[in-house]
């Protein structure tokens, strides 16, 4: 019996940082954009680098395993040595590999992560084997042996795999945590309702929520912990989701809504090296704390603490803390609190 099985991408992540890179801000009548820039046509020195297996399914499985759960990762990997690297990472965190699927037609997905001196990242992603995942690949009979399914963003081109997974979960009384992203963002909230009605907790960031709901977070002169537009986003999602809606908002913090009350947690202050994996760590830690029947404020606090430690490292896993360590860090920082926010 598993506590949780994670679904999502598996990638080989190559982390690169160069002191020769610049961040350039360009402003125009339609807004502004930040660009990661390198000199064109030149050989650029790499000052820092790392090479790890990652992706949504692996990162979240690593987090949940470190929190003490019996975890499996349902991933699809391709040909070559990358397949061994992915399995090696699963073994490192004692993640069950019996749901690993294979294809010899394409290589395992990979990403090149360009990290800036400010700690933000630009990701060049090749989906590889991830987009070949189809319903027939999944061992649904074995999947009956889990209490929870965690869905990281899925990019399969073979129909709505997420709908197949959540339908199965509902039929077999399995709880679902869904971190929306990937091809789900191409659908409207009404179209996603068939999926969300089987989901216990949904998590996404403000940009993703805006894309799905059509509600933009407008500038507000009066400072509020939770912008009214974000509240409207969460209310719209909660019409379809069983238990909770979580929205993360970068440096502003994170919010949760249970249909009755709103909650807010700031980011946990740490030195940021790379933001890659922060979202995975936040969402999966919240899920792990919720599985232990912690209250919503505690879930937000522990999720923010773990996410804050992940960004102190180049890859998405080295900063992950176990459950006892998270509780210890929270105790050492009594002023760091999640709070309930009036509607």
């Amino acid at each position: 019996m598993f506590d949780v099985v994670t679904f999502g991408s598996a990638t080989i992540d190559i982390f690169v940082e160069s002191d020769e890179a610049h961040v350039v801000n360009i402003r125009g009548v339609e807004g502004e954009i930040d660009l990661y820039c390198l000199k064109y046509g030149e050989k650029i020195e790499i000052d820092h680098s790392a090479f790890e297996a990652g992706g949504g399914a692996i990162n979240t499985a690593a987090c949940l395993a470190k929190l003490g759960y019996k975890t499996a990762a349902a991933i699809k990997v391709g040909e070559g040595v990358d397949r061994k690297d992915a399995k090696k990472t699963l073994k490192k965190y004692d993640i069950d590999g019996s749901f690993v699927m294979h294809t010899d037609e394409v290589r395992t997905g990979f990403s090149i992560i360009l990290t800036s001196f400010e700690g933000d990242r630009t990701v060049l992603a090749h989906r590889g084997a991830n987009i070949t995942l189809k319903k027939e690949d999944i061992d649904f009979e074995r999947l009956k042996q889990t209490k929870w399914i965690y869905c990281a963003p899925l990019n399969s081109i073979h129909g709505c795999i997420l709908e197949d997974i959540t339908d199965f979960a509902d039929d077999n009384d399995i709880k679902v945590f869904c971190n929306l992203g990937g091809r789900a963002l191409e659908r409207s909230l009404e179209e996603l309702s068939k999926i969300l009605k089987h989901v216990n907790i949904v998590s996404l960031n403000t940009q993703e929520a805006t894309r799905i709901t059509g509600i933009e977070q407008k500038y507000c002169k009066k400072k509020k912990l939770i912008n009214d537009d974000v509240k409207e986003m969460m209310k719209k999602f909660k019409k379809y989701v069983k238990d909770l809606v979580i929205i993360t908002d970068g440096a502003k913090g994170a919010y949760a809504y249970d249909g009755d009350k709103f909650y807010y947690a700031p980011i946990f202050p740490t030195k940021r090296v790379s933001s890659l994996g922060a979202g995975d760590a936040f969402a999966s830690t919240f899920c792990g704390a919720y599985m232990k029947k912690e209250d919503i404020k505690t879930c937000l606090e522990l999720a923010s603490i773990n996410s804050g430690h992940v960004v102190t490292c180049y890859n998405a896993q080295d900063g992950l803390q176990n459950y006892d360590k998270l509780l210890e860090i929270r105790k050492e920082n009594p002023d760091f609190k999640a709070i309930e926010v009036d509607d």
Side-chain angles (χ1 to χ4, degrees), residues 1 21 48 90 129 181 184 189-190 209 211 230 239 262 274 289 309 337:
M1 187 71 180
H48 304 284
L90 298 188
L189 186 53
E190 287 69 29
R211 185 171 173 180
V230 175
K239 291 178 182 178
F262 292 96
S274 171
H309 281 76
K337 294 286 186 182

Side-chain angles (χ1 to χ4, degrees), residues 89-328:
T89 297
L90 298 188
K91 187 175 181 180
K92 174 182 176 181
Y93 292 101
D94 196 25
I95 300 166
D96 186 279
S98 59
F99 286 95
V100 176
M101 297 155 272
H102 306 90
T103 177
D104 290 325
E105 297 176 3
V106 292
R107 67 175 299 163
T108 301
F110 70 90
S111 297
I112 299 173
I113 296 97
L114 305 174
T115 305
S116 79
F117 62 94
E118 296 176 318
D120 284 319
R121 81 287 184 276
T122 299
V123 181
L124 308 178
H126 174 69
R127 301 300 179 186
N130 294 305
I131 64 172
T132 69
L133 176 65
K134 53 187 181 292
K135 181 179 179 179
E136 292 74 22
D137 293 327
I138 301 170
D139 187 347
F140 283 104
E141 190 61 33
R142 186 169 177 76
L143 194 57
K144 291 178 182 179
Q145 301 174 28
T146 189
K147 300 172 186 175
W148 279 79
I149 291 173
Y150 182 107
C151 289
L154 289 159
N155 287 285
S156 175
I157 60 174
H158 293 282
C160 188
I161 299 296
L162 185 55
E163 191 170 331
D164 295 325
I165 294 169
T166 53
D167 283 348
F168 174 84
D170 187 61
D171 290 341
N172 290 275
D173 199 28
I174 299 169
K175 294 183 178 181
V176 179
F177 186 108
C178 185
N179 190 349
L180 283 181
R183 292 191 174 270
L185 298 179
E186 299 172 1
R187 306 175 71 177
S188 69
L189 186 53
E190 287 69 29
E191 290 174 321
L192 286 171
S193 63
K194 294 178 181 179
I195 294 168
L196 295 176
K197 67 182 181 181
H198 301 319
V199 172
N200 295 84
I201 305 174
V202 67
S203 175
L204 67 171
N205 62 39
T206 49
Q207 291 80 15
E208 292 163 343
T210 291
R211 185 171 173 180
I212 295 173
T213 64
I215 300 173
E216 292 191 21
Q217 186 177 184
K218 296 183 287 291
Y219 173 75
C220 182
K221 291 182 179 179
K222 184 179 178 182
K223 265 199 168 184
K224 295 183 177 182
L225 290 177
I226 307 180
N227 188 296
D228 289 339
D229 299 315
V230 175
K231 287 183 178 180
E232 288 305 310
M233 293 176 192
M234 291 194 283
K235 285 179 179 178
K236 283 195 84 167
F237 274 101
K238 186 60 184 71
K239 291 178 182 178
Y240 306 103
V241 178
K242 290 181 180 180
D243 298 330
L244 286 168
V245 177
I246 303 165
I247 291 184
T248 57
D249 198 5
K252 294 179 182 178
Y255 325 110
Y257 179 57
D258 62 4
D260 181 32
K261 298 175 182 178
F262 292 96
Y263 301 86
Y264 164 78
I267 62 169
F268 187 75
T270 54
K271 183 179 179 181
R272 185 171 63 167
V273 172
S274 171
S275 58
L276 188 79
D280 286 337
F282 185 94
S284 52
T285 303
F286 190 104
C287 180
Y290 190 84
M291 289 165 64
K292 293 181 184 291
K293 303 191 184 303
E294 300 281 15
D295 61 72
I296 295 173
K297 288 187 283 189
T298 298
C299 293
L300 283 170
E301 289 164 3
L302 298 182
S304 185
I305 290 170
N306 217 5
S307 179
H309 281 76
V310 163
V311 302
T312 64
C313 303
Y314 276 102
N315 74 21
Q317 299 154 19
D318 284 352
L320 292 170
Q321 308 295 308
N322 64 39
Y323 207 79
D324 288 340
K325 185 61 177 179
L326 290 176
L327 294 175
E328 180 185 326

